[in-house]
Amino acid sequence: EAGVTQFPSHSVIEKGQTVTLRCDPISGHDNLYWYRRVMGKEIKFLLHFVKESKQDESGMPNNRFLAERTGGTYSTLKVQPAELEDSGVYFCASSQRFGQGLGEAFFGQGTRLTVV
Amino acid sequence: DAKTTQPPSMDCAEGRAANLPCNHSTISGNEYVYWYRQIHSQGPQYIIHGLKNNETNEMASLIITEDRKSSTLILPHATLRDTAVYYCIARPNFGNEKLTFGTGTRLTIIP
């Protein structure tokens, strides 16, 4: 069974440009999460989807970040316009159906974003 | 979510048991103790979780004190591949499903 897949693995963009990160969760997982680690800091929660609905977006840093999960399958996280402080590693995770107990969350390998 | 406290770093000899402590003195009755680890450049990996009973799986054992204020993750026969940052997380069993990562313990396995 394929794990959580993230694209691209690395991205280098200039300040002010737009970048879109993609996450393909494990098939059948309704829960999808985005996290990020900026340099020297802890891994921080960004938001949580249950199927196509945003369950919790309390961790989104500002309105330059837009996450979508059309159809409840893969998700995208767009940063527009990117700023230098957005540099870091963005992780996606998925877990089993909501309301069926807290199973383990499976993480992707992350997308390393560098804004120059 | 309850705050957890872990030592910043630990060393362990290869082949020996690695015992990683975690304090969670403010944990509430509905919070589980979860352990994850992050091996360099990879995404976090689930290890084990428990509520109040000791748990064991193919990766590790989790020992939770009777008062639930602390726990210990045990890797029975540490290998070089176990070198990673280990995170102890207290997480409610309903409602808020996000994981709150702290600074963790950087475990180094010494050959």
Side-chain angles (χ1 to χ4, degrees):
Chain A
E1 180 182 345
V4 177
T5 308
Q6 294 187 243
F7 303 97
S9 57
H10 295 81
S11 179
V12 180
I13 62 170
E14 293 183 350
K15 177 183 173 182
Q17 288 186 324
T18 298
V19 63
T20 299
L21 313 181
R22 172 171 169 145
C23 169
D24 286 74
I26 292 173
S27 178
H29 280 190
D30 290 343
N31 294 291
L32 188 149
Y33 310 84
W34 284 98
Y35 292 81
R36 76 170 179 177
R37 164 179 267 155
V38 296
M39 184 64 71
K41 300 289 184 61
E42 300 166 8
I43 299 171
K44 293 291 189 183
F45 166 83
L46 296 179
L47 88 160
H48 170 204
F49 283 100
V50 177
K51 297 185 179 179
E52 68 277 6
S53 300
K54 293 176 183 176
Q55 181 73 17
D56 179 358
E57 52 184 327
S58 61
M60 294 289 266
N62 51 61
N63 58 10
R64 296 185 294 103
F65 289 76
L66 175 64
E68 295 180 323
R69 193 183 181 195
T70 306
T73 55
Y74 71 91
S75 174
T76 57
L77 180 64
K78 179 189 288 187
V79 185
Q80 178 182 30
E83 299 289 345
L84 299 178
E85 64 264 25
D86 300 332
S87 295
V89 183
Y90 289 76
F91 294 105
C92 176
S94 72
S95 67
Q96 65 186 32
R97 279 198 292 273
F98 186 73
Q100 291 192 353
L102 292 183
E104 59 189 279
F106 296 85
F107 282 77
Q109 294 299 300
T111 293
R112 181 173 295 278
L113 174 65
T114 303
V115 183
V116 297
Chain B
D1 299 356
K3 179 179 172 57
T4 62
T5 305
Q6 300 176 250
S9 64
M10 292 181 62
D11 292 340
C12 178
E14 186 178 15
R16 305 295 293 268
N19 295 275
L20 292 90
C22 179
N23 287 319
H24 32 78
S25 58
T26 60
I27 196 168
S28 58
N30 66 350
E31 289 181 312
Y32 283 73
V33 178
Y34 275 74
W35 284 83
Y36 279 76
R37 71 180 181 183
Q38 186 178 23
I39 297 171
H40 181 63
S41 298
Q42 298 182 19
Q45 177 189 25
Y46 167 82
I47 302 173
I48 198 168
H49 74 281
L51 184 61
K52 55 183 178 181
N53 298 318
N54 297 338
E55 302 288 344
T56 296
N57 62 21
E58 65 279 3
M59 289 182 68
S61 294
L62 174 60
I63 308 298
I64 302 174
T65 58
E66 191 169 345
D67 63 9
R68 302 210 325 121
K69 292 185 177 182
S70 65
S71 60
T72 301
L73 178 74
I74 301 172
L75 307 178
H77 305 287
T79 70
L80 298 179
R81 288 190 299 271
D82 292 322
T83 293
V85 179
Y86 287 76
Y87 297 96
C88 170
I89 301 168
R91 185 189 190 199
N93 65 346
F94 65 89
N96 186 351
E97 295 202 356
K98 66 185 179 185
L99 293 166
T100 302
F101 291 86
T103 53
T105 296
R106 181 173 298 279
L107 175 67
T108 302
I109 305 303
I110 310 298

